[in-house]
Amino acid sequence: MMETKKKSSALQVAVIAILTAVVVVFTMVVKIPTARGYLNLSDVAILFIALTFGPWTAFLTAGLGAALADLLSGYAQWAPVSFVCHGFEGLFVALIIRGDTSSWLRKIFAYLAAVVMVVGGYFLLSGLFIAGFGVAAAEIPGNFGQVTVGFLLGLAVSLAVAKAYPPVRSLSW
């Protein structure tokens, strides 16, 4: 019994490490500069992870991956904001979906949660701590677009992976 638990823990650590790296890569590969930061494809990876791997994996990988990408890209001031906004985006989307990607109602609520966490979170935290509310307001359309594209592509990838490799759901945590 103890040996199985160790293997499970080791597998969880490995999955979290790999998926964190996936978020970093998706965040850093495409960067579209904005007034105080940049838009990217992080939400594609984050929403794929949230829809496929569950709430705790989504929270850790989204928060750590987005924050690490900011640190590595020279946007260290954004790392705490990215950790909070993207971490909770992954957590809430995964909690709402709970592995059921067939329910349109759950998908709509999950999308709205992602919008609130990223668009609202970046507006509030950037406005308070980094850029002021005028600049933060200018970032809203871009952040909204980033989340929308991320949700649609993340959902498509999640459905395709689950169809091609159904046991992936067993890695949910």
Side-chain angles (χ1 to χ4, degrees):
M1 181 79 173
M2 187 68 149
E3 188 174 319
T4 304
K5 189 168 183 117
K6 283 184 183 178
K7 286 181 184 176
S8 177
S9 296
L11 180 61
Q12 285 177 338
V13 169
V15 167
I16 288 168
I18 291 166
L19 293 174
T20 299
V22 168
V23 173
V24 171
V25 169
F26 270 70
T27 305
M28 294 181 72
V29 166
V30 174
K31 286 193 229 177
I32 302 165
T34 63
R36 292 295 237 169
Y38 60 98
L39 299 175
N40 55 68
L41 296 176
S42 64
D43 292 294
V44 175
I46 291 166
L47 292 159
F48 159 70
I49 294 164
L51 297 168
T52 308
F53 293 94
W56 302 112
T57 300
F59 175 74
L60 291 171
T61 60
L64 290 173
L68 282 170
D70 285 341
L71 291 170
L72 294 169
S73 297
Y75 292 92
Q77 72 275 22
W78 290 100
V81 173
S82 293
F83 182 86
V84 170
C85 293
H86 288 295
F88 282 104
E89 171 193 20
L91 176 69
F92 292 146
V93 166
L95 286 173
I96 291 166
I97 291 292
R98 295 192 182 270
D100 180 10
T101 53
S102 64
S103 167
W104 281 100
L105 189 58
R106 284 185 189 221
K107 285 187 256 192
I108 290 167
F109 281 127
Y111 168 72
L112 293 174
V115 168
V116 167
M117 289 313 307
V118 175
V119 177
Y122 272 91
F123 173 75
L124 180 64
L125 296 174
S126 170
L128 287 172
F129 301 114
I130 297 175
F133 288 103
V135 174
E139 302 278 336
I140 289 173
N143 287 336
F144 183 78
Q146 178 177 309
V147 173
T148 301
V149 168
F151 192 86
L152 293 172
L153 293 177
L155 177 61
V157 172
S158 178
L159 293 171
V161 168
K163 185 176 180 179
Y165 185 69
V168 74
R169 298 276 184 216
S170 70
L171 298 173
S172 180
W173 174 61

